[in-house]
Amino acid sequence: DQQVKQNSPSLSVQEGRISILNCDYTNSMFDYFLWYKKYPAEGPTFLISISSIKDKNEDGRFTVFLNKSAKHLSLHIVPSQPGDSAVYFCAASAKETSGSRLTFGEGTQLTVNP
Amino acid sequence: DVKVTQSSRYLVKRTGEKVFLECVQDMDHENMFWYRQDPGLGLRLIYFSYDVKMKEKGDIPEGYSVSREKKERFSLILESASTNQTSMYLCASVVRIGSPLHFGNGTRLTVT
C-alpha cells in the first residue's frame, strides 16, 4: 500500500523555466511533509518542508504547496537550473506514530536542460 | 555540519553470507534509521532506533536485524543474504523527532 505517491517517474524542463513536481498521499494522519533531493552516488539531502497548519512554504527558488483537502503537495522550482537535475523524493510523517519515521514516495527524476 | 558515514560504498556478497553494514554519526543523535532504495519503490524503512540497545521494526524488516551498542553506531545485519536484498542501503540520523533526517552516502550491495 503506497501511502505516498509520485506519479511522474521523470520530468524534463528547460533552464530558466518552472519545474513542478507533484506528490499525493492517502494517510490523513500525515501532518508533516518534506522534499529531499538525491544526486547519484550520494545520500538524499533535505530541501524544504511544510507542516499541515500551512499551505505554502518558500525558500529561495523552492516553494512547496500543500492542499490538504486533495491530499496533494507540489514542489515548484523557479527558475530551474541544470544543477537541479536530480531525483526528488516526497516524504511524509505523522506525529501520532513516530515523528521522524518518514514514508517516502517513489521519486521523480528531474532533468533541467541548458 | 552533521556527518553520517557508511563504511562501504560498494559491497559484493554471495547468497547465504552474513553481511554487516555499518553506519556512524558524529552529532550525538539519538535516532538512527536504515532504509533501502529500489527503483520505482522509493525509500523503504527497514529498522530504526531511538536509543542505545533499542530498536523498532520498520516497514520491511524481514531478513534483517540491527545492532545499536553505542549511540553513534547503528549496524544493519543480513543474516543470510539473498539476491532480492541487492539494493542501495541508506543510513540516516536525526537530532530530535520531527527534524529532517541526515543521510549517509549509501552502500550499494550486490548479492550474487
Side-chain angles (χ1 to χ4, degrees):
Chain A
D1 175 28
Q2 191 72 18
Q3 297 186 61
V4 177
K5 202 134 180 63
Q6 295 175 253
N7 288 313
S8 298
S10 63
L11 175 68
S12 184
V13 300
Q14 285 300 119
E15 182 178 5
R17 307 294 287 268
I18 184 171
S19 296
I20 300 176
L21 296 96
N22 293 303
C23 179
D24 296 294
Y25 62 96
T26 57
N27 188 341
S28 56
M29 301 299 287
F30 287 149
D31 57 7
Y32 184 55
F33 304 90
L34 307 89
W35 284 94
Y36 281 81
K37 178 168 77 172
K38 186 181 185 299
Y39 294 117
E42 293 183 16
T45 54
F46 168 71
L47 196 55
I48 192 169
S49 64
I50 188 167
S51 163
S52 60
I53 62 173
K54 295 186 173 183
D55 54 19
K56 176 183 173 182
N57 188 26
E58 195 170 349
D59 183 2
R61 296 187 297 115
F62 302 91
T63 303
V64 56
F65 295 91
L66 176 62
N67 182 334
K68 288 187 289 293
S69 60
K71 293 192 177 70
H72 176 84
L73 64 156
S74 60
L75 174 69
H76 293 210
I77 307 174
V78 182
S80 301
Q81 299 173 354
D84 296 329
S85 297
V87 177
Y88 288 78
F89 290 100
C90 169
S93 72
K95 277 205 196 87
E96 285 73 15
T97 55
S98 304
S100 285
R101 178 174 173 166
L102 297 178
T103 300
F104 284 83
E106 305 93 326
T108 297
Q109 171 70 57
L110 172 66
T111 302
V112 180
N113 302 302
Chain B
D1 203 17
V2 178
K3 193 144 179 70
V4 180
T5 303
Q6 294 183 232
S7 55
S8 304
R9 294 301 300 270
Y10 301 95
L11 274 179
V12 180
K13 296 291 181 181
R14 292 194 178 274
T15 301
E17 277 193 78
K18 190 168 185 174
V19 181
F20 293 85
L21 302 183
E22 305 289 344
C23 174
V24 176
Q25 50 92 3
D26 66 355
M27 285 299 292
D28 205 33
H29 290 174
E30 291 185 348
N31 310 288
M32 297 186 74
F33 304 78
W34 275 105
Y35 285 85
R36 63 178 280 179
Q37 181 197 354
D38 300 288
L41 296 176
L43 279 71
R44 293 178 293 166
L45 181 63
I46 305 171
Y47 265 97
F48 58 107
S49 169
Y50 287 132
D51 203 349
V52 174
K53 296 194 187 296
M54 293 183 67
K55 59 187 179 185
E56 288 195 40
K57 292 179 180 179
D59 299 317
I60 51 163
E62 295 78 18
Y64 303 94
S65 62
V66 290
S67 173
R68 184 105 183 261
E69 296 296 320
K70 293 185 177 180
K71 194 174 191 179
E72 66 271 17
R73 187 179 297 271
F74 192 34
S75 304
L76 180 69
I77 304 157
L78 286 66
E79 297 292 341
S80 177
S82 63
T83 54
N84 63 12
Q85 292 178 310
T86 291
S87 186
M88 168 69 82
Y89 289 88
L90 293 159
C91 175
S93 72
V94 65
V95 60
R96 61 181 177 277
I97 298 298
S99 300
L101 300 179
H102 296 271
F103 283 89
N105 281 336
T107 297
R108 182 162 292 284
L109 172 67
T110 302
V111 182
T112 61

